[in-house]
Amino acid sequence: MDLNTVAEIRDARRPAPWRPGDAWLGGGTYLFSEPQPHLRRLVDLSRMGWTPAQRHPDGSLELAATCTIAQLSGCARDLPALAAPLFEQCCRAFLASFKIWNTATVGGNLCNGLPAGPMISLTAALDGTCLLLAQDGSGRRLKVADFITGAGRKDLAEGELLRSVTLPARALSCRTAFRQVSLYGLGRSAALVIGTLDPVDHSLTVTVTAATVRPVRLWFPLPPTAAALRAAIEGAVTEGEWFDDIHGLPEWRRHMALRLAEEIRRELTEEERR
């Protein structure tokens, strides 16, 4: 879609004062998908030259905000980590064409803050931490689960930039389980639940997304019973936080999230007993 109110595109490598009507341009799959009448200038990040995915000496994995879905998928194939299959599962949850895969970015998906954003699901489940850069050059770090505060809402100040998301080595070493459901065979995720089991201390995390307006990540020092897991989810998600749109009613999303979470609990705890 043409953005006929945009009068200028600025290269992000050339610093300039942020002004009203500015927006960061990564892949642009959302920006150009619908009218944006409030925008006057796009600040293009595509030439920043950030390494899409970088493994650090401590074993953590840093994903640049400009890392495309195609690049993430390719990186995961060579990632020597137990959690590597989860990357491809979340990439496939886009149900998008190769054109979108080669354009859409990890950072864009997070900054849209949509409940069904699969990069939110992936990075929240793997205990990801966002690096946010302000216009004055200062930075701050924030967990992905705290960065997304509601449907389309995130803890991002005016002009602030999501630079990268770092996934810790401990999370990458976990066994994972993935469940996703939608109303239609090729529909948007209505509930997406991810479980991780730590091989060191046997703790379990269950992360609920798509069914809720924000990612809900629950940590259990030891795998809980079915009743304890259900109670924890219902205690963490208020009635108004079950998402409601054309892709699923809140009651159905709640039911499916609880069902998928229990499937994940059984899968990971049964593997643990073997």
Side-chain angles (χ1 to χ4, degrees), residues 70-140:
Q71 288 170 331
L72 180 64
S73 174
C75 156
R77 296 190 198 106
D78 301 320
L79 185 65
L82 204 56
L86 184 62
F87 287 70
E88 186 70 13
Q89 289 170 319
C90 289
C91 287
R92 294 289 170 186
F94 269 105
L95 299 173
S97 72
F98 72 92
K99 293 182 287 185
I100 297 297
W101 271 44
N102 282 284
T103 305
T105 62
V106 171
N109 196 244
L110 265 74
C111 289
N112 280 343
L114 300 179
M119 295 298 98
I120 296 172
S121 308
L122 172 68
T123 54
L126 293 181
D127 198 25
T129 299
C130 300
L131 172 58
L132 305 171
L133 302 179
Q135 286 294 302
D136 63 6
S138 62
R140 63 186 177 108

Side-chain angles (χ1 to χ4, degrees), residues 7-224:
E8 181 184 354
I9 297 180
R10 177 171 71 80
D11 190 332
R13 296 174 298 177
R14 301 171 183 169
W18 190 265
R19 63 194 192 196
D22 281 359
W24 298 110
L25 172 62
T29 53
Y30 167 73
L31 279 179
F32 290 96
S33 70
E34 59 182 55
Q36 310 284 349
H38 61 290
L39 296 185
R40 299 294 180 269
R41 181 173 67 168
L42 301 180
V43 184
D44 185 9
L45 297 168
S46 64
R47 297 173 185 164
M48 295 299 289
W50 296 333
T51 302
Q54 183 176 5
R55 198 78 187 265
H56 293 298
D58 64 358
S60 63
L61 179 67
E62 183 176 11
L63 303 175
T66 50
C67 176
T68 67
I69 307 310
Q71 288 170 331
L72 180 64
S73 174
C75 156
R77 296 190 198 106
D78 301 320
L79 185 65
L82 204 56
L86 184 62
F87 287 70
E88 186 70 13
Q89 289 170 319
C90 289
C91 287
R92 294 289 170 186
F94 269 105
L95 299 173
S97 72
F98 72 92
K99 293 182 287 185
I100 297 297
W101 271 44
N102 282 284
T103 305
T105 62
V106 171
N109 196 244
L110 265 74
C111 289
N112 280 343
L114 300 179
M119 295 298 98
I120 296 172
S121 308
L122 172 68
T123 54
L126 293 181
D127 198 25
T129 299
C130 300
L131 172 58
L132 305 171
L133 302 179
Q135 286 294 302
D136 63 6
S138 62
R140 63 186 177 108
R141 295 186 182 273
L142 189 66
K143 293 290 188 181
V144 172
D146 298 322
F147 176 63
I148 307 297
T149 60
R153 302 200 329 257
K154 55 273 180 186
D155 186 353
L156 197 64
E158 180 69 20
E160 199 169 26
L161 170 67
L162 172 60
R163 168 62 180 85
S164 64
V165 180
T166 300
L167 309 177
R170 185 76 173 263
L172 293 172
S173 70
C174 290
R175 288 209 303 272
T176 64
F178 173 95
R179 295 290 190 281
Q180 182 256 0
V181 68
S182 65
L183 278 176
Y184 316 101
L186 295 176
R188 180 178 295 177
S189 297
L192 198 159
V193 184
I194 295 171
T196 66
L197 186 69
D198 192 312
V200 177
D201 63 8
H202 309 288
S203 61
L204 176 75
T205 65
V206 175
T207 304
V208 179
T209 54
T212 51
V213 297
R214 58 177 178 84
V216 175
R217 187 175 189 271
L218 301 172
W219 179 82
F220 303 90
L222 290 174

